[in-house]
Amino acid sequence: MRLSATIAIILLNWNGWRDTVDCVESCRKLDYPNFRILIVDNGSTDGSEAILRERFPDVELIQTGANLGFAGGNNAGIRHALVRGADYVWLLNNDTVVEPGALGALVRVAESDPRVGMVGSKIVYFDDPWLLWFAGAVIDPERPHRPFHRGLYERDTGQYDRVAETGYVTGCSLLARREMMAEVGMLDDDLFLYFEDADWSARAARAGWKLLYVPDSVVRHKESVSSGGAASPRLVYYTARNRLYFVRRNFPAKLAAALCYDLFEHVLVNVKKGRFPLAVAGCRGIRDFLAGKIGQMP
């Protein structure tokens, strides 16, 4: 088992330098010795680049020059890391704080089997670390348009404390093997935001790579429990559009069901509840999928 593998920790920053500072500080306490941190600034307009360079002069930072989305920004970091010889890249949301053993646990599981392509952490809420956000994921082949996080909102009593196969690995904390990326590629830039991690996971699984959830790797996520991931037109647009791309690419026989679900969830439900901007965003997402439009929302 190669526990000296070189890890590049990629932190994507977009107008969020305060969270990135907290994340970097937690990464510096990791007990795994062989890693380097790479901050990718995604065209921030709040002075993030200058602040982060001054705060962390010893941490490498690259500037994309524009908002390339979650996929494009992380891909810029992945390419940079692979050129410099990283054995793995660890995509880590900048609004997370990691436990000291989080990286070592991921590496141990990944290195236990050369066909492990991706591994992901147990992710809990920052403000309530006994409340689960992610303990693996489920994609039902009969309903692939409705992937979900296992354990979401459950109290952590150890019920998910075994290493297990997972339907996908969330991009919030995703360790990816170099050889896997050489075979299946990186995140899809065209998706820009949302479903890019599920799509990447599906491509890897289809190529025969294993996807595993690692409970000993604990990451705390600053997502608000009270908001429940409150919807916005931007979120609805990308979810409605990218869900359809994800299903068409990976479960094409279920595309009609996914389209019906999109129309119901993002259009009809929002109209019924009087949330007309969200309904319009859902219509635009579906329309742009049918028109073949990709990338950043117009």
Side-chain angles (χ1 to χ4, degrees):
M1 188 180 296
R2 179 188 52 173
L3 294 183
S4 60
T6 301
I7 316 298
I9 303 175
I10 299 176
L11 305 180
L12 183 63
N13 180 81
W14 184 66
N15 295 332
W17 63 267
R18 291 176 179 83
D19 285 335
T20 301
V21 166
D22 291 344
C23 189
V24 170
E25 295 290 4
S26 73
C27 287
R28 285 180 154 174
K29 298 174 184 176
L30 288 165
D31 59 17
Y32 184 83
N34 196 13
F35 71 88
R36 58 179 181 271
I37 300 170
L38 172 63
I39 299 173
V40 180
D41 189 73
N42 219 9
S44 294
T45 57
D46 66 344
S48 281
E49 180 179 358
I51 293 168
L52 293 170
R53 287 189 187 278
E54 181 178 3
R55 183 69 178 261
F56 303 116
D58 57 330
V59 174
E60 189 172 16
L61 185 152
I62 62 174
Q63 173 60 252
T64 65
N67 182 8
L68 305 181
F70 182 88
N74 273 301
N75 281 344
I78 292 171
R79 284 190 289 269
H80 188 87
L82 294 180
V83 166
R84 282 155 180 75
D87 298 309
Y88 294 87
V89 297
W90 187 18
L91 305 189
L92 190 62
N93 270 21
N94 72 318
D95 64 344
T96 61
V97 171
V98 301
E99 295 296 322
L103 178 56
L106 293 176
V107 174
R108 282 192 295 274
V109 171
E111 285 290 287
S112 68
D113 183 344
R115 291 307 298 173
V116 173
M118 297 181 185
V119 289
S121 305
K122 175 192 286 186
I123 304 175
V124 298
Y125 283 92
F126 180 81
D127 292 329
D128 187 349
W130 294 104
L131 190 65
L132 293 166
W133 187 79
F134 181 88
V138 176
I139 299 179
D140 181 352
E142 293 302 312
R143 299 200 304 171
H145 52 282
R146 299 190 67 184
F148 62 90
H149 290 192
R150 191 176 67 155
L152 181 63
Y153 301 137
E154 292 182 26
R155 305 304 299 181
D156 183 9
T157 60
Q159 68 271 43
Y160 301 114
D161 277 359
R162 293 183 180 178
V163 174
E165 293 188 5
T166 179
Y168 64 92
V169 180
T170 173
C172 184
S173 172
L174 187 161
L175 186 77
R177 184 186 294 270
R178 180 187 190 96
E179 292 83 358
M180 183 277 295
M181 292 182 282
E183 180 176 351
V184 307
M186 298 181 291
L187 295 159
D188 186 346
D189 287 352
D190 289 341
L191 295 179
F192 193 78
L193 188 67
Y194 299 121
F195 274 92
E196 67 286 281
D197 48 5
D199 176 71
W200 198 22
S201 297
R203 283 187 279 130
R206 195 161 55 246
W209 293 95
K210 295 180 182 179
L211 316 177
L212 298 178
Y213 155 74
V214 182
D216 289 341
S217 173
V218 179
V219 171
R220 296 171 63 185
H221 189 202
K222 293 180 182 177
E223 174 148 328
S224 171
V225 176
S226 61
S227 72
S232 68
R234 180 168 173 264
L235 182 152
V236 169
Y237 171 85
Y238 285 117
T239 302
R241 188 194 71 179
N242 290 351
R243 184 203 313 271
L244 298 175
Y245 278 115
F246 166 73
V247 172
R248 186 174 71 182
R249 292 171 176 177
N250 300 290
F251 304 90
K254 301 300 179 180
L255 180 59
L259 181 57
C260 291
Y261 185 79
D262 254 7
L263 287 167
F264 172 76
E265 180 185 42
H266 294 305
V267 181
L268 297 180
V269 169
N270 284 321
V271 168
K272 183 177 180 180
K273 294 184 177 182
R275 300 184 301 211
F276 299 111
L278 300 185
V280 170
C283 286
R284 291 180 63 191
I286 296 168
R287 177 202 66 188
D288 284 359
F289 166 76
L290 294 173
K293 292 183 179 180
I294 52 178
Q296 189 170 12
M297 179 175 66

